[in-house]
């Protein structure tokens, strides 16, 4: 069996159309060339984002708008950006919004911060008039049933471009969810009602595909791993991790062999994420595989294929959201409350997102995995100190998903040395009150811990996906 190379991550495809009212062009001959220069600058800046830009040019009337709509529909875009260069009628953009099959973002970016009132004539003023049609578009979009969103500013306005970038990143996350392939291997950790996931509802809420895997899919790949591949993975491991004295070489070599098998599994099934669990029995091969997955799962997570234990599919999806927002996203649960220091201690045994570790992550050898069978090496680190966001995917009684999030700050202090990821998170309030509010949100007992303040990005993602966003603050 030969493993395929991993697929290149799909970039969001952004459709771009600029326009203005054609009746102005014969009246003010200098206006259209100026607007086209503004449109060219927008195209230039759009291409600076990590996205594929489909630019269908400049439209001047409803007929050209309809033609642009067909081009954008055929391009299968993840987000359509309409640049209002001056006044234009709703008939020019409504067909694009209705037919494209993608969310639409309207941008109003005037040439500079303000007009020169002493020197401007009507033609010069019209180049600053992109705000004029914005309420018209909002009204028309509402009446035809199309969600409305916009960004207003000026061409070199970094604040406006930061907001535009937020929508593009959200479109990228929406895209990976719609097109993603998510592995689910093994079986539910017995008794975890909150973790159990209806696979149909993953596709129903987010799109994408859930690939149901057996631990035997991993077993056959691990059996085919060659000794030189193990040696290479061990070299990578020693470069990435600090190794505690408790690490047993035999256990480390087994974890490296399983890690190579996991790489093949992910490549063969073209997976964007993975959730797994297998209980095993009396040291048989499936128990050994489950116990040997922490190293490989952590390395996968660090390179953008989130892997979560305990069959936690919705958390592996939350981790994927965080990772695609550039914020990591480590498998996390509550560990303890520290009322003296006013922090919540949280983390998890098993895999962690190595790219967001405060220091070089540690591999610790464990003779027993609490609550699980087997033994071996486990990952220990603290998430990078500073602002963080917790992100979970909850599910309501009727099967609808919701994003649940809370912002805090990881701070320094004493940590357990038990082979778990552990972070001390300050939410600016009593730890008990925050814990009660977080638990009441409907979040499961696992979630992703990501770096940075992600609520603005998550609001954009909720808007584009139609998911409810629950923001928790005690």
């Amino acid at each position: 069996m030969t493993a395929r190379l991993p697929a290149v991550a799909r970039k969001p495809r952004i459709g771009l159309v600029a326009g203005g009212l054609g009746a102005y062009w014969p009246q003010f001959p200098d206006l259209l060339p100026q607007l086209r220069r503004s449109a060219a600058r927008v195209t230039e800046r759009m291409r600076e984002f990590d996205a594929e830009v489909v630019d269908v040019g400049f439209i001047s009337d409803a007929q050209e708008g309809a033609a642009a709509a067909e081009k954008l529909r055929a391009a299968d875009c993840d987000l359509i950006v309409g640049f209002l260069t001056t006044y234009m009628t709703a008939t020019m953009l409504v067909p694009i919004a209705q037919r494209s099959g993608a969310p639409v973002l309207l941008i109003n970016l005037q040439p500079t911060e303000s007009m020169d009132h002493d020197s401007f004539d009507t033609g010069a003023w019209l180049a600053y008039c992109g705000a004029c049609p914005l309420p018209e578009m909002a009204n028309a979009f509402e009446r035809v049933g199309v969600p409305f969103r916009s960004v207003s500013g000026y061409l070199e306005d970094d604040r406006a471009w930061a907001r535009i970038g937020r929508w593009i990143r959200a479109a990228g996350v929406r895209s990976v969810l719609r097109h993603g392939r998510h592995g689910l291997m093994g079986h539910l950790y017995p008794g975890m009602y909150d973790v159990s996931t209806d696979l149909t509802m993953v596709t129903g809420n987010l799109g994408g595909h859930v690939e149901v895997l057996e631990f035997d899919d991993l077993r056959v790949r691990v059996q085919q791993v060659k000794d030189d591949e193990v040696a290479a993975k061990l070299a990578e491991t020693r470069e990435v991790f600090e190794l505690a004295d408790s690490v047993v070489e035999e256990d480390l070599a087994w974890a490296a062999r399983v890690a190579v098998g996991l790489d093949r599994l992910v490549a063969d099934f073209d997976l964007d994420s993975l959730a797994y669990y297998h209980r095993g029995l009396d040291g048989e091969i499936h128990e050994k595989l489950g116990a040997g997955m922490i190293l490989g799962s952590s390395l996968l997570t660090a390179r953008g294929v989130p892997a979560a234990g305990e069959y936690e599919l919705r958390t592996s999806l939350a981790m994927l959201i965080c990772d695609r927002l550039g914020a990591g996203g480590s498998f996390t649960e509550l560990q303890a409350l520290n009322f003296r220091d006013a922090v919540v201690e949280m983390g998890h045994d098993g895999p962690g997102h190595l790219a967001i570790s405060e220091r070089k992550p540690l591999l610790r050898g464990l003779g027993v995995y609490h609550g699980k069978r087997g033994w071996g090496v486990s990952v220990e680190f603290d998430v990078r100190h500073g602002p963080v966001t917790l992100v979970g995917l909850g599910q309501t009684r009727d099967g609808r998903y919701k994003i649940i999030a809370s912002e805090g700050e990881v701070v320094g202090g004493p940590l357990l040395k038990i082979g778990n990821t552990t972070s001390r998170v300050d939410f600016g309030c009593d730890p008990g009150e925050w814990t009660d509010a977080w638990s009441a949100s409907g979040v499961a007992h696992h979630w992703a811990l990501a770096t940075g303040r992600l609520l603005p990005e998550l609001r954009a993602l909720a808007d584009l996906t139609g998911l409810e966003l629950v923001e928790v603050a005690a």
Side-chain angles (χ1 to χ4, degrees):
M1 181 182 302
T2 302
R4 300 199 315 270
L5 291 174
V8 176
R10 183 183 190 275
K11 294 184 177 182
R13 185 174 297 136
I14 309 301
L16 179 60
V17 58
L21 187 65
Y24 294 149
W25 313 153
Q27 295 176 327
F28 307 99
D30 294 334
L31 178 58
L32 181 58
Q34 180 180 2
L35 300 183
R36 288 189 182 277
R37 288 193 296 272
S38 291
R41 179 56 179 153
V42 166
T43 300
E44 186 179 64
R45 291 208 61 162
M46 289 286 292
R47 296 194 190 283
E48 295 174 2
F49 293 100
D50 189 21
E52 176 187 351
V53 179
V54 180
D55 186 354
V56 297
F58 199 100
I59 61 174
S60 299
D61 55 35
Q63 290 84 355
E64 292 180 0
E70 288 306 305
K71 292 178 184 177
L72 292 170
R73 181 189 61 78
D76 187 27
C77 296
D78 300 303
L79 180 71
I80 305 296
V81 178
F83 176 26
L84 311 180
T85 66
T86 185
Y87 176 75
M88 55 196 298
T89 62
T91 55
M92 297 168 64
L93 284 183
V94 164
I96 292 172
Q98 287 181 310
R99 300 175 195 174
S100 66
V104 178
L105 169 68
L106 300 185
I107 60 174
N108 153 45
L109 301 177
Q110 63 189 39
T112 63
E113 291 178 277
S114 64
M115 295 185 293
D116 183 350
H117 298 80
D118 291 335
S119 65
F120 271 31
D121 59 13
T122 302
W125 154 61
L126 287 172
Y128 284 71
C129 200
C132 180
L134 205 57
E136 177 175 340
M137 300 301 171
N139 178 284
F141 279 28
E142 168 67 21
R143 291 165 68 181
V144 300
V146 174
F148 176 82
R149 54 194 71 84
S150 68
V151 172
S152 292
Y154 58 96
L155 275 178
E156 305 303 334
D157 184 352
D158 288 338
R159 294 169 301 179
W161 281 106
R163 293 167 61 200
I164 293 169
R166 190 174 299 148
W167 286 110
I168 292 175
R169 286 190 294 275
V173 175
R174 176 178 179 268
S175 175
V176 77
L177 293 174
R178 291 176 68 221
H179 298 276
R181 292 175 53 83
H182 313 295
L184 187 60
M185 184 170 70
H187 63 80
L188 181 71
Y189 189 106
M192 288 186 180
Y193 280 169
D194 63 323
V195 168
S196 63
T197 299
D198 180 341
L199 304 191
T200 304
M201 297 313 296
V202 174
T203 300
N205 282 276
L206 305 174
H209 168 74
V210 178
E211 184 72 19
V212 177
L213 303 169
E214 303 281 357
F215 253 70
D216 289 318
D217 290 315
L218 177 61
R219 175 182 58 80
V220 296
R221 287 165 174 81
V222 170
Q223 289 172 341
Q224 295 172 354
V225 173
K226 295 179 174 56
D227 289 345
D228 61 334
E229 294 175 299
V230 175
K233 185 63 71 172
L234 284 170
E236 176 188 357
T237 298
R238 295 182 188 280
E239 182 178 345
V240 171
F241 291 92
E242 177 185 349
L243 271 59
D245 293 339
S246 56
V247 171
V248 176
E249 283 298 322
E250 180 182 357
D251 295 341
L252 181 61
W254 172 247
R257 187 173 296 273
V258 174
V260 177
L262 274 172
D263 290 346
R264 290 182 175 177
L265 183 83
V266 166
D268 286 342
F269 288 97
D270 194 20
L271 300 180
D272 294 287
S273 69
L274 175 67
Y276 66 89
Y277 175 77
H278 187 85
R279 181 167 53 188
L281 185 66
D282 294 336
E284 50 83 43
I285 184 61
H286 298 94
E287 178 182 305
K288 290 183 63 180
L289 286 168
M293 288 187 65
I294 295 173
L295 170 62
S297 295
S298 296
L299 292 171
L300 280 173
T301 300
R303 70 170 195 251
V305 183
E310 297 183 11
Y311 213 61
E312 244 296 21
L313 176 57
R314 292 200 311 280
T315 294
S316 60
L317 292 170
M319 293 164 64
L320 182 62
I321 289 171
C322 296
D323 185 85
R324 293 305 187 270
L325 290 174
S330 200
F331 188 35
T332 306
E333 67 183 0
L334 292 172
Q335 292 182 331
L337 306 183
N338 187 325
F339 292 96
R340 181 187 59 205
D341 297 337
V343 296
V344 178
E345 298 185 35
M346 59 180 67
H348 210 286
D349 63 320
H353 200 306
L354 308 178
I356 61 171
S357 176
E358 169 69 11
R359 55 176 173 79
K360 190 171 186 177
L362 177 77
L363 272 186
R364 187 178 295 280
L366 298 178
V368 61
Y369 292 153
H370 72 274
K372 303 178 182 69
R373 298 183 188 274
W375 61 89
V377 295
S378 191
V379 172
E380 182 178 300
F381 68 78
D382 182 15
V383 167
R384 188 180 308 131
H385 296 181
V388 291
T389 305
L390 280 58
V391 182
L393 274 183
Q395 182 173 339
T396 62
R397 185 179 301 180
D398 60 6
R400 289 181 298 172
Y401 284 9
K402 56 183 178 180
I403 303 170
I404 303 168
S406 186
E407 291 182 342
E409 183 170 355
V410 170
V411 297
L415 302 170
L416 293 172
K417 299 177 178 63
I418 59 172
N420 285 200
T421 60
T422 305
S423 296
R424 296 157 51 91
V425 188
D426 182 356
F427 292 98
C429 62
D430 176 78
E433 293 180 8
W434 178 88
T435 300
D436 290 337
W438 181 246
S439 301
S441 69
V443 72
H445 80 281
H446 301 125
W447 50 86
L449 178 60
T451 55
R453 302 202 180 278
L454 299 185
L455 283 178
E457 279 77 11
L458 293 173
R459 290 171 190 140
L461 178 62
D463 181 287
L464 296 185
T465 59
L467 298 177
E468 177 188 2
L469 173 63
V470 178
E471 301 180 20
V472 174

